[in-house]
């Protein structure tokens, strides 16, 4: 249970009240997190956050705008359910002499308790019923008093959903220069200073009128009031301090903010304001206390000493910026859209959203394909160049009557910033254009957004001819071909989808909507279905049915959850309905997923109604991204040196990282939100890649070490058989070097940059030395194998020679002994007569035969003997 009493404990005790004002207190309790849009809405309708705790807060309102804001929240909750409990009760604001604020409420309210809500609920105290009913469209119904709530007969709010319930808080701001208007110094100084004020007003989109030298401008909302006063006070401080970079003359002026009170926007406003302008403090915005208290924590409220004592909240004070408050604006909120883009007398074009042409004349009809390069080009220029692009559009169209023709020329041939901006403008609603229909027909993918890239060939002829005729503006030919195709292909979604565009350009929106519904029923993939549902939503949007369009876009989003286009269009519909505060969180979510949508929001002319509110909030995203990018950019030199420390010059990864860092250095010079995000994510990704690459390289190093160790052992075994070890001095030197470095690497911490890089150098040297060792080992093997072969040959030859010599020596005596037993023979007689010559010849022949047999035997057993010897040697080594 949440108790309201804990909120009242945070209020200061006011013993003597300087000002007392009756108003409305709002107790708010919520489950989970409270959407920022609710807080912004409460502030913009004049709410002061008096006390806050986790899941509950207490607000105070001076006016009945409290009922308008809760009515808007009630309507919004019907579209997007949220667990919020709101209780509105009478309350009294107390202001002490130090301008500290406190509250007083009846005792029946201070003991209330409630549980976390499960749905959106508003209850209003019956004492406020007359005030509620005085507001058109608001009604009350009796409800059962919840447990823990005071028994006062609470009622619930029932707003008419068709009404807007806009805030009635609006003012005129009046600025009057001090001095004699006919004085030359006055003219020079005021003109110089007011030129800077004009730039600020143009950036904020505020109109103004001048009467003599007096300036009057309307302020329509609290959010605009806060921004305007902050910008104005900073401008005054900057100019008054006379910065060296500024060539602007300071000129003092008095200024005041007065409620409009149904006064017309003309120079009569000044005469109707009950103020003594000659007594106002120069360069201090004067306003009522009730307005000053709502400005927030950035402003200090200062009392003034003119006229009567200020004893009520309608008295006058002036405000200043508190110490330490700096300029929170950024280039992201300074985009001024060309009037040629945003102004027109026609309805929004279905294809592009502009108001200066019909869909049948839209320049986008000649475009082909969804080109992501358009957004990359916009992201590659500084944010302030957007304004230059829009200004160039206005300059090039001066005196030109055919706006569509000029837009077509810039769209296709524009080379400057105006070309980039124009192509981006027509890419905002690219999904709604004919070029996307052509791609959907050929698409083989199943879901947005990646599926649209899977394009197949054109199949059939009739429907493509109809599309070409449609694109060329030949309506009669297109109609004939489309109807023939519808008859011939009765179950195909293609002719019906094209017929919808035909009806659209003919002005029959309801018939176009019907054909898209037909196409949705006939198609078969989520991509196609989501596309035609999206077109139905776009149709409802251009017809002004924003609530219905939002629901249809949500249906398209459910079909393709990763598709951001329906989400973006839903947010745009919120802005068009007047729920700009609620749309901001949606925009932020989309931008988080795809930063290019930031630039899209900045230039979208369809956000006109809530443009300032949206871009002011986008400024916070800009500041965060810019700060992160600056921090990342400041460490890029260190990162480059880290890469150089980890990797040798010429290393594959080092070269890739160097090229990547070149791209990041170019991004660091671009003042664009997308560039900020890409720089931040790119450097983070590179840092991660460096860590992964180092881990991978360490694994490779360890693997190489094992391989080198095995090779070194093989070399050692091979070289140990070399019969002349004293000749291996250089060989042993290389071998010992490799062994020493492998041992050194094995004993080091490789996750240290210096050691890692030195290890890489050592590995290269070890590899070179091993190559030399392997080359030398070839010679050693030849010598070793030759020696082994000769030893095997010699051993066999000696044994055979001994045997053959013995046979040769016994041959002659045996021949002589047995010759007596044989009959006389010429050959035997000759051998006996020349027995010594025969003996020598026989010895020679047997020696040659012994050598041949020994060589043959050595060749046969060589490999076997060599393997046996090495295996025996390996076994000994292992045992040792």
């Amino acid at each position: 249970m949440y108790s309201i009493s804990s909120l009242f404990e945070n209020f200061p005790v006011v013993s003597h009240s300087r000002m007392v004002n009756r108003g409305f207190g709002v107790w708010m309790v919520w489950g989970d997190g409270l959407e920022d849009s609710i807080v912004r809405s409460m502030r913009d309708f004049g709410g002061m956050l008096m006390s806050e705790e986790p899941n509950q807060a207490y607000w105070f309102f001076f006016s009945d705008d409290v009922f308008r804001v809760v009515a808007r929240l009630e309507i919004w909750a019907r579209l997007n359910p949220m667990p919020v409990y709101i209780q509105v009760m009478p309350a009294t604001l107390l202001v002490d002499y130090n301008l500290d604020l406190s509250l007083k409420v009846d005792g029946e309210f201070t003991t209330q308790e409630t549980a976390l809500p499960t749905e959106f609920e508003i209850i209003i105290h019956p004492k406020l019923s007359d005030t509620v009913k005085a507001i058109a469209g608001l009604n009350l119904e009796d409800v059962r008093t919840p447990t823990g709530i005071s028994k006062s007969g609470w009622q619930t709010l029932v707003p008419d959903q068709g009404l807007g319930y806009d805030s009635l808080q609006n003012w005129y701001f009046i600025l009057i220069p001090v001095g004699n208007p006919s004085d030359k110094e006055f003219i020079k100084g005021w003109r110089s200073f007011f030129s800077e004020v004009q730039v600020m007003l143009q950036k904020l989109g505020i109109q103004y009128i001048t009467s003599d030298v007096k300036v009057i401008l309307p302020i329509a909302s609290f959010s605009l009031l806060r921004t305007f006063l902050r910008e104005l006070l900073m401008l005054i401080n900057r100019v008054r301090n006379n910065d060296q970079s500024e060539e602007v003359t300071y000129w003092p002026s008095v200024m005041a903010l007065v409620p409009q009170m149904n006064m017309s926007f003309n120079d009569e406003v000044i005469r109707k304001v009950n103020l003594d302008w000659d007594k106002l403090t120069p360069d201090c915005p004067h306003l009522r206390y009730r307005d000053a208290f709502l400005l927030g924590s950035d402003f200090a409220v200062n009392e003034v000493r003119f006229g009567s004592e200020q004893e009520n909240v309608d008295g006058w004070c002036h405000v200043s910026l508190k110490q330490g408050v700096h300029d929170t604006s950024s280039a992201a909120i300074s985009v001024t859209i060309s009037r040629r883009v945003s102004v027109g007398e026609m309805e929004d074009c279905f294809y592009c959203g502009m108001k200066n042409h019909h869909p049948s004349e839209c320049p986008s009809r000649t475009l082909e394909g969804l080109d992501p390069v358009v957004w990359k080009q916009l992201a590659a220029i500084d944010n302030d160049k957007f304004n230059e692009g829009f200004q160039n559009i206005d300059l090039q169209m001066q005196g030109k009557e055919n706006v569509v023709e000029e837009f077509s020329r810039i769209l296709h041939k524009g080379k400057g910033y105006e070309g980039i901006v124009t192509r981006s403008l027509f890419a905002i609603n690219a999904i709604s254009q004919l070029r996307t229909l052509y791609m959907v027909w050929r698409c083989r993918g199943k879901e947005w957004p990646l599926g649209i890239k899977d394009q197949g060939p054109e199949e059939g002829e009739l429907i493509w001819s109809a599309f070409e005729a449609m694109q060329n503006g030949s309506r009669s030919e297109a109609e004939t071909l489309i109807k023939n195709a519808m008859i011939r292909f009765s179950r195909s979604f293609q002719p019906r989808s094209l017929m919808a565009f035909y009806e659209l350009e003919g002005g029959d929106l309801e018939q176009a909507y019907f054909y898209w519904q037909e196409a949705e029923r006939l198609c078969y993939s989520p991509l196609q279905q989501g596309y035609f549902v999206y077109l139905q939503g776009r149709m409802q949007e251009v017809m002004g049915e924003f609530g219905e369009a939002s629901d249809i876009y949500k249906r398209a989003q459910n079909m393709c959850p990763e598709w951001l286009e329906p989400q973006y269009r839903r947010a745009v519909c919120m802005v068009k309905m007047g729920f700009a505060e609620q749309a901001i969180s949606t925009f932020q979510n989309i931008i988080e997923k795809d930063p290019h949508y930031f630039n899209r929001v900045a230039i979208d002319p369809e956000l006109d109604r809530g443009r300032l509110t949206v871009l002011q909030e986008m400024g916070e995203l800009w500041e965060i991204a810019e700060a992160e990018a600056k921090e990342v950019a400041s460490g890029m030199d260190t990162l480059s040196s880290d890469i150089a420390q980890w990797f040798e010059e010429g290393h594959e990864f080092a070269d890739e990282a160097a090229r990547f860092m070149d791209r990041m250095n170019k991004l660091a010079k671009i003042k664009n939100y997308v560039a900020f995000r890409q720089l931040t994510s790119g450097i983070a990704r590179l840092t991660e890649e460096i860590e992964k690459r180092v881990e991978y390289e360490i694994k490779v190093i360890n693997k190489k070490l094992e391989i080198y160790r095995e090779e070194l052992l093989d070399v050692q075994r091979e070289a140990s058989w070399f019969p002349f070890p004293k000749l291996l001095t250089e060989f042993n030197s290389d071998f010992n070097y490799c062994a020493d470095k492998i041992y050194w690497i094995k004993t080091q911490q490789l996750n240290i940059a210096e050691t890692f890089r030195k290890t890489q150098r050592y590995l290269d040297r070890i590899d070179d030395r091993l190559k030399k060792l392997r080359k030398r080992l070839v010679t050693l093997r030849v010598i070793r194998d030759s020696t082994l072969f000769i030893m095997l040959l010699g051993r066999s030859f000696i044994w055979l020679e001994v045997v053959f010599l013995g046979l040769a020596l016994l041959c002659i005596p045996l021949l002589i002994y047995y010759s007596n037993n044989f009959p006389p023979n010429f050959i035997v007689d000759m051998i006996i007569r020349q027995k010594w010559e025969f003996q020598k010849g026989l010895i020679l022949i047997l020696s040659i035969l012994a050598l041949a047999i020994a060589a043959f035997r050595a060749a046969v057993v060589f490999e076997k003997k060599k393997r046996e010897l090495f295996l025996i040697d390996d076994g000994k080594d292992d045992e040792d």
Side-chain angles (χ1 to χ4, degrees), residues 631-691:
E631 183 179 356
V632 167
S634 64
M636 288 175 64
D637 292 338
T638 303
L639 183 60
S640 297
S641 62
D642 288 344
I643 295 172
Q645 289 177 2
W646 281 103
F647 303 98
E648 291 279 353
E649 183 177 355
H651 189 281
E652 176 187 359
F653 182 80
D655 293 341
E656 292 178 0
R659 290 192 292 269
F660 184 82
M661 289 299 293
D662 289 340
R663 294 196 297 272
M664 293 297 102
N665 285 323
K666 293 178 181 178
L667 282 178
K669 299 176 183 178
I670 301 174
K671 301 298 182 182
N672 190 293
Y673 180 83
V674 179
F676 294 155
R677 288 282 301 274
Q678 289 178 342
L679 176 64
T680 304
S681 61
I683 295 300
R685 188 168 62 252
L686 178 60
T687 304
E688 184 179 354
E689 287 295 326
I690 292 174
E691 295 176 357

